[in-house]
Amino acid sequence: MKEEINFILDSTKEAMQNAITHLEKKLLNIRAGKASPAMLGGVMVEYYGSPTPLNQVGNITTPDARTITIQPFEKSLIPEIEKGIQVANLGFNPMNNGESVIINVPPLTEERRRELVKQAKSEAEDSKIGVRNDRKSANNEIKKLEKDGLSEDMAKNAEVDIQELTDSFIQKIDDMFSVKEKEIMTV
């Protein structure tokens, strides 16, 4: 029975960690004023007839906090890269100098910053829901074990462990959100 409880705890911890990892990816995509290559993560470019991720057809760099530069591996791709950025509907207006594609990242307005904070909060809330669902399914597994002969004390202790795990992951999510909120609201 002890191994089964440890297995439930380990798999629950892993599932909760996946919620944190998912949140990290989602928060990376939320723009916080500074230019970042991650902003163009979802951009696809038509490359010899097939859609290809932008980072596979050129080097993406940020020479300063307000500029993103894409240096294509082939100059003939410049119009396709510009088209791909516009199709991605990121609110950027790409320009080219014949050598590379340049994007000036406009500063965020106060209203837009608030919208981004709401978006980040929503993502954090979704992750918390995921963690709580993981807690619920772990507690259900413990109850099944209890029916199969697990002592009441061991079941209670396992539920306490699961709750402590849940609390620590919820705290991590809150911390990640407050860091992102501060990053977004900093002008």
Side-chain angles (χ1 to χ4, degrees), residues 5-155:
I5 291 174
N6 286 339
F7 176 76
I8 291 169
L9 287 173
D10 289 345
S11 59
T12 302
K13 187 174 186 175
E14 191 176 319
M16 290 178 177
Q17 187 56 51
N18 287 343
I20 295 279
T21 307
H22 179 76
L23 178 63
E24 285 171 347
K25 286 180 186 160
K26 286 291 192 182
L27 290 181
L28 262 181
N29 290 336
I30 296 176
R31 179 179 150 207
K34 292 193 304 264
S36 148
M39 293 172 154
L40 302 175
V43 176
M44 300 300 268
V45 175
E46 198 68 28
Y47 183 62
Y48 293 109
S50 65
T52 309
L54 179 59
N55 62 1
Q56 292 181 14
V57 297
N59 288 324
I60 305 170
T61 56
T62 49
D64 59 58
R66 294 263 173 252
T67 313
I68 302 174
T69 307
I70 301 117
Q71 182 69 48
F73 299 137
E74 299 173 29
K75 282 187 189 166
S76 62
L77 284 174
I78 289 177
E80 290 296 335
I81 291 173
E82 288 181 304
K83 186 175 155 194
I85 292 168
Q86 287 168 339
V87 167
N89 198 16
L90 300 170
F92 295 141
N93 191 13
M95 302 171 293
N96 79 65
N97 60 8
E99 298 285 319
S100 57
V101 177
I102 301 158
I103 299 171
N104 287 320
V105 179
L108 295 171
T109 62
E110 184 69 23
E111 184 181 334
R112 182 71 179 127
R113 286 178 193 277
R114 291 190 198 291
E115 284 173 26
L116 291 174
V117 167
K118 279 183 190 166
Q119 187 182 345
K121 188 166 186 64
S122 161
E123 294 295 348
E125 212 44 59
D126 289 348
S127 294
K128 285 182 187 180
I129 290 168
V131 166
R132 290 185 194 114
N133 287 339
D134 295 334
R135 173 187 62 193
K136 183 181 175 188
S137 55
N139 283 337
N140 289 342
E141 293 291 321
I142 296 293
K143 282 182 177 50
K144 283 181 193 166
L145 283 180
E146 205 172 355
K147 286 178 185 164
D148 293 342
L150 180 69
S151 75
E152 206 174 303
D153 287 347
M154 285 179 84

